[in-house]
Amino acid sequence: MAKNTTRAEDYSKWYNDLVNRAGLAENSGVRGCMVIKPYGFAIWEKIQAQLDIMFKETGHQNAYFPLFIPKSLFEAEEKNAEGFAKECAVVTHYRLKTDPTDKTKLIVDPEAKLEEELIVRPTSEAIIWNTYKGWIQSYRDLPLLINQWANVVRWEMRTRLFLRTSEFLWQEGHTAHATKAEAIAEAEQMLEVYTEFAENWMSMPVIRGKKTESERFAGADDTYCIEAMMQDGKALQAGTSHFLGQNFAKAFDVKFADKDGKLEHVWATSWGVSTRLMGALIMTHSDDEGLVLPPKLAPIQVVIVPIYKSAEELELVSVKANELVKKLKSMGISVKFDDDDNRRPGWKFAEYETKGVPVRVALGPRDLAEGKAEIVRRDTKEKSTVEFEGIENLIAQLMIDIQENLFNRANQFRADNIQKVDSYDVFKEKIEKEGGFYLVHWDGTAETEALIKTETQATIRCIPLDSVEEDGKCMVTGKPSKHRVVIAKAY
RNA sequence: CGGGGUGUAGCGUAGCCCGGUAUCGCGCCUGCUUUGGGAGCAGGAGGUCGUCAGUUCGAAUCUGGCCACCCCGACCA
């Protein structure tokens, strides 16, 4: 078997190989678009299912809006349109016909040109706000709390599986509110939902913050984000929540009558996470052997591998294994008993390690004779032989322990790779050699931000929400600064 | 969109410079032996060499066009 690419050798190749090897996704015949394979999609479904619950718990409802946006609607909110214009797929025709010069080929029928081009949504604010116009008349219609699970298209120049693909799956929440304060509270609430999901379900610590003006979502007054550190020290924006002010309400003329009968533009938010979370999950926990999944998002939480030499032995082992399967299932733990006779145990061990199954149980005649079983946890690779009786309770506890351990490990890694720096020269040297996150003082100007980006390729990831006020000087210009910002190279 | 590169079996490749009908590994199929860390042996199947044209008795190999993909930049969830 070919040796795996290790993280130390080539982090980028390690990632790509792993996505392929674990059966998560592959490149497709369409440029920049991926095929999400069953195992990868199963993880995405777990992510989706939990987020959906959390959105509903916070009062949101799901709906679905069209894939296409007429150009005239798309251009209504200027900044938004301008921001996405360079990466839009555009539908110009609605029919093909047989090529008169080659009957086996099709050509676009020039007579089927659309009067108005349709934009394949890169994000849905435009079509949704055009719709909201008809839904909102009174303060009684507010707040309007909608989420949509959808695919969007952004014609990226360079793509990477899960991290950046031309088409990707995501959810986008779009809410309308009567007051500015309420809309801001909503944007902040959803950032908390994302944070809770990232930390408690993905076991991935995140920094909550606000984007600088130049990194803000096109059309937003404020963009909140969660930023995570990957194992190569680079930052990954894992989710964003935008306070859109009245920009879209004004662009689409969405007004409501308040209690006094006065007409006001409504206040808006939008927030989203995408299949990029898959990339975040992979790059936060996985190792050189393969995927490492937090139990809460693992499609298979426990795998049981039988060891046997004959059909009779398999029969005996199966009886025990099935007992355990039944117990685990009743406890809500997903389990697979892999009695495939075409693969030998060693192959299965390697396979489930590659796939990141949190716990593996091996059961053979030797164990049966002693009333024991071998149990291995994926996160630490720790192997132990335990009493078969009551093993289900041990496994249930392992689910909790592994979930926690992954978070703690990632948290420790981040703590080890985040540092305060006050000198630009030191920063330049460190970001180049060590990577990681830096907490620095910045004068708040776009010029300084741009300079840092040009000279170091690092960007201001966010202004952390929990940053403490302290008097400092911008590391570049020496101008006064009130708090530190997080700066790093990013995906 | 600028710069560089690559297209040979399901995957990874050799051959190309110096033209003579394609190499090896993995995978796949069959059989036997195996099964506590990616099994061994034996046999077998699988290829319009990205595509179109040109040169030639003859093209994976030489020439030109086209297409696709990858890497590095600018852009980005």
Side-chain angles (χ1 to χ4, degrees), chain A residues 79-120:
Chain A
K79 281 188 182 155
N80 185 249
E82 197 190 314
F84 285 101
K86 300 181 299 299
E87 48 191 275
C88 285
V90 184
V91 180
T92 55
H93 292 75
Y94 58 87
R95 193 166 63 210
L96 297 172
K97 66 173 190 180
T98 305
D99 184 347
T101 67
D102 182 351
K103 294 274 185 269
T104 66
K105 297 284 199 300
L106 291 171
I107 57 167
V108 174
D109 186 344
E111 291 181 12
K113 192 170 190 307
L114 289 171
E115 285 206 8
E116 180 178 4
E117 292 89 348
L118 295 172
I119 314 299
V120 180

Side-chain angles (χ1 to χ4, degrees), chain A residues 202-213:
Chain A
M202 297 175 70
S203 290
M204 178 176 78
V206 293
I207 295 174
R208 298 162 312 136
K210 269 190 194 184
K211 284 292 182 190
T212 62
E213 197 177 339

Side-chain angles (χ1 to χ4, degrees), chain A residues 80 123-130 172 174 217 244 248 270:
Chain A
N80 185 249
T123 180
S124 301
E125 277 79 4
I127 188 68
I128 286 177
W129 279 87
N130 181 63
E172 46 182 328
H174 295 273
F217 175 75
L244 302 173
F248 285 90
S270 71

Side-chain angles (χ1 to χ4, degrees), chain A residues 324-340:
Chain A
L324 180 55
V325 167
K326 212 172 149 188
K327 279 183 195 157
L328 290 173
K329 278 188 178 163
S330 75
M331 295 164 82
I333 295 171
S334 64
V335 52
K336 175 173 174 177
F337 172 44
D338 188 355
D339 60 353
D340 182 355

